[in-house]
Amino acid sequence: MELPIKLSKESREPIYHQIENQLKALIAGGHLPADAPLPSIRVLSKDLETSVITIRRAYQNLEYQGFIRTSQGKGTFVAEIEESLKQEVKVSAVYQTIEHAVETAFSYDYTLEQIEEIFQEVLMEYKKKGE
Amino acid sequence: MNRIAEISQAEKTIDDFHLGPINIEIKPGTITALVGNNGSGKSTLLKLLMNLAKPDKGNIRISEKLVFGPDESWKTQVSYQPQTVIGWNAFTGNTLKEFISPLYPDWDDSLFTKMAKLFDIPLNKRFGKLSQGVQQKLNLALTVPRNTPLVLLDEPTSFMDIPSKKHFIDLLADWMDDGNRAIVMTSHQSADIMKLADYLYVLQGGKMIGTYEKDELIGSYLQYWMKGEMPALPIPGELSREHQRLITCSPEAAEAFFQENDLTFTSAVPLDLEEIISLLLTERKER
């Protein structure tokens, strides 16, 4: 099974962390339900062109945080996670995306006021579409 | 973690070529790619492991047995796919399988059948009559199903078509799932290395340059496109510069240097593995 994970080589975020966060988002967003099997470490390392060391690190962190569970000889599965944890992941994903947008705007020398204007405009567009 | 194979301080001179000293340890669950120019000693290293070449110095162990010792039980613990096989031309795939399979207690006949089907190998045709690509596929179908803890592959995909390469890489990844096996392979195909290797063992002119964990190696090189003036002095770890582009093998120190000297860059992009290997191999030549 191929997972919709896309690594960014340009990003300053370490590869294992990108994998970890994208898997969390897939789990919190319900794309990977509880008990869904995950690819083996070796197969995911092949698909994402990393070493097994990197995937193992991502899986270990996810297991430690309760997102996945490994059963000896059977493989790795999505764990049953609490609604509050899902919410946490979702909120932090949205925060990070907005933060990233602000950083991009800063790198083009926009002021906070200008960024706020753009943000309002984008929101207005969506409101119009919604009506 | 225990080890499957180990070479320590091995050296070998063949005519005017000197290999070594070679040190390498192979652990279960890992895939190591031997990387180097033609004639750098990759194939000789595999032959040392198989006791097909005897070292002048040093020790070589597979499953803790010295390969040149009297106890030959290690031979069922390793399978080897050489670039060219000698003596197979007169035999069909089926016959070769009858020769080889009884030698390996864990021979997996269903895997052999699966590979023959996957690669479309005519098992009733003599080896000598097959094309180079099909010979390579048959050779692999007679190697991987031996299910030995250690597999040595010498340029396994060099003659393969693109879909077969993909199938083969997928198959090896599944085969490695067991977790107790290890592969040592030589390859000039960077796609093979990207998809399969965990470690790169880099050789140049018979000398070992180093063992690198793949992602760590890739992460340790960075190229910058500088804004405005280029630094007058070499930056930390500088490997090359042309126009506005700088390549360094110590990005952290380089960025600290940029900050101290009020230098700015427009973008920082990692190098791909081919560029890194080229740098590793040319950088040394100049020293």
Side-chain angles (χ1 to χ4, degrees):
Chain A
M1 178 197 45
E2 293 234 8
L3 295 174
I5 293 178
K6 205 159 163 35
L7 301 179
S8 157
K9 290 192 173 155
E10 275 72 32
S11 166
R12 286 304 168 91
E13 190 184 358
I15 299 288
Y16 76 89
H17 211 245
Q18 291 186 37
I19 297 168
E20 204 181 307
N21 279 341
Q22 292 188 38
L23 273 171
K24 271 188 205 170
L26 289 170
I27 294 169
H31 301 282
L32 288 171
D35 298 324
L38 290 172
S40 70
I41 289 174
R42 171 60 65 190
V43 167
L44 193 56
S45 84
K46 177 203 69 184
D47 291 341
L48 300 179
E49 303 196 337
T50 71
S51 69
V52 286
I53 297 104
T54 299
I55 306 291
R56 192 172 296 127
R57 188 164 177 189
Y59 272 19
Q60 270 167 358
N61 290 347
L62 286 167
E63 185 158 13
Y64 179 73
Q65 294 163 60
F67 285 89
I68 63 174
R69 60 183 168 78
T70 305
S71 77
Q72 202 65 41
K74 283 187 189 152
T76 307
F77 301 89
V78 175
E80 199 79 56
I81 60 166
E82 281 178 33
E83 204 49 45
S84 61
L85 191 55
K86 279 189 192 171
Q87 288 308 327
E88 216 176 280
V89 172
K90 287 182 195 170
V91 168
S92 86
V94 173
Y95 254 92
Q96 273 177 20
T97 311
I98 295 176
E99 272 169 7
H100 184 74
V102 173
E103 274 166 29
T104 307
F106 273 142
S107 78
Y108 295 127
D109 299 328
Y110 279 79
T111 64
L112 276 176
E113 289 71 29
Q114 285 171 312
I115 298 168
E116 202 175 338
E117 248 172 67
I118 296 173
F119 190 61
Q120 292 292 354
E121 263 176 51
V122 173
L123 287 183
M124 284 308 285
E125 283 294 316
Y126 273 87
K127 271 186 193 160
K128 264 190 234 161
K129 269 188 225 165
E131 277 160 14
Chain B
M1 219 188 334
N2 52 333
R3 60 191 179 200
I4 293 184
E6 178 210 30
I7 299 182
S8 69
Q9 294 296 327
E11 292 186 51
K12 170 84 182 166
T13 303
I14 306 166
D15 302 323
D16 57 357
F17 175 73
H18 182 81
L19 177 69
I22 297 292
N23 289 295
I24 185 171
E25 210 178 49
I26 305 299
K27 292 189 167 154
T30 63
I31 301 181
T32 305
L34 304 181
V35 175
N37 297 336
N38 298 323
S40 56
K42 305 184 296 288
S43 299
T44 309
L45 199 158
L46 294 183
K47 284 180 186 154
L48 284 176
L49 275 167
M50 287 306 294
N51 200 30
L52 296 168
K54 313 257 183 238
D56 305 325
K57 277 185 201 162
N59 280 336
I60 297 157
R61 288 186 175 86
I62 290 178
S63 300
E64 301 306 323
K65 301 281 187 312
L66 281 171
V67 296
F68 35 79
D71 180 352
E72 293 201 329
S73 61
W74 61 272
K75 284 192 172 170
T76 58
Q77 305 297 303
V78 55
S79 20
Y80 167 55
Q81 171 253 320
Q83 279 185 46
T84 43
V85 278
I86 299 161
W88 282 14
N89 281 350
F91 303 104
T92 67
N94 279 326
T95 314
L96 289 167
K97 189 196 85 174
E98 297 312 316
F99 290 160
I100 292 166
S101 57
L103 304 175
Y104 297 90
D106 291 324
W107 174 265
D108 183 347
D109 213 54
S110 65
L111 181 58
F112 172 78
T113 312
K114 185 181 161 188
M115 288 179 78
K117 216 180 231 171
L118 188 69
F119 291 146
D120 218 358
I121 306 169
L123 293 173
N124 296 317
K125 236 179 165 178
R126 288 181 185 196
F127 190 79
K129 299 276 181 209
L130 302 172
S131 74
Q132 229 168 358
V134 181
Q135 285 188 348
Q136 190 167 43
K137 290 170 180 173
L138 177 55
N139 197 348
L140 290 166
L142 289 165
T143 304
V144 183
R146 297 177 196 184
N147 273 352
T148 54
L150 179 62
V151 170
L152 312 176
L153 304 173
D154 200 353
E155 288 288 337
T157 64
S158 54
F159 299 112
M160 259 190 218
D161 53 84
I162 292 169
S164 301
K165 245 180 233 177
K166 187 193 178 308
H167 291 322
F168 179 62
I169 288 172
D170 288 347
L171 186 132
L172 276 189
D174 286 339
W175 185 81
M176 282 295 290
D177 253 358
D178 179 83
N180 295 314
R181 297 166 173 165
I183 296 174
V184 179
M185 63 192 284
T186 71
S187 181
H188 294 297
Q189 321 276 328
S190 61
D192 295 358
I193 301 175
M194 279 313 290
K195 291 202 175 291
L196 289 172
D198 305 311
Y199 297 99
L200 272 71
Y201 186 91
V202 184
L203 279 165
Q204 185 171 50
K207 293 254 173 323
M208 159 186 162
I209 292 183
T211 310
Y212 306 91
E213 194 261 295
K214 184 175 61 186
D215 299 340
E216 217 170 274
L217 180 70
I218 294 172
S220 63
Y221 286 75
L222 211 54
Q223 52 188 336
Y224 295 96
W225 272 270
M226 304 304 293
K227 209 178 199 172
E229 220 172 305
M230 290 287 278
L233 293 169
I235 64 161
E238 177 169 327
L239 296 173
S240 98
R241 62 162 75 195
E242 46 178 295
H243 306 297
Q244 292 302 106
R245 179 181 181 235
L246 278 169
I247 298 180
T248 172
C249 61
S250 44
E252 267 174 42
E255 276 172 36
F257 177 87
F258 293 157
Q259 237 176 5
E260 274 167 34
N261 295 277
D262 279 331
L263 297 157
T264 47
F265 54 89
T266 40
S267 69
V269 181
L271 299 175
D272 62 39
L273 193 63
E274 268 180 39
E275 289 174 290
I276 293 172
I277 291 171
S278 305
L279 280 170
L280 263 179
L281 295 177
T282 46
E283 186 193 327
R284 305 277 160 164
K285 220 179 252 172
E286 284 157 11
R287 273 184 200 166

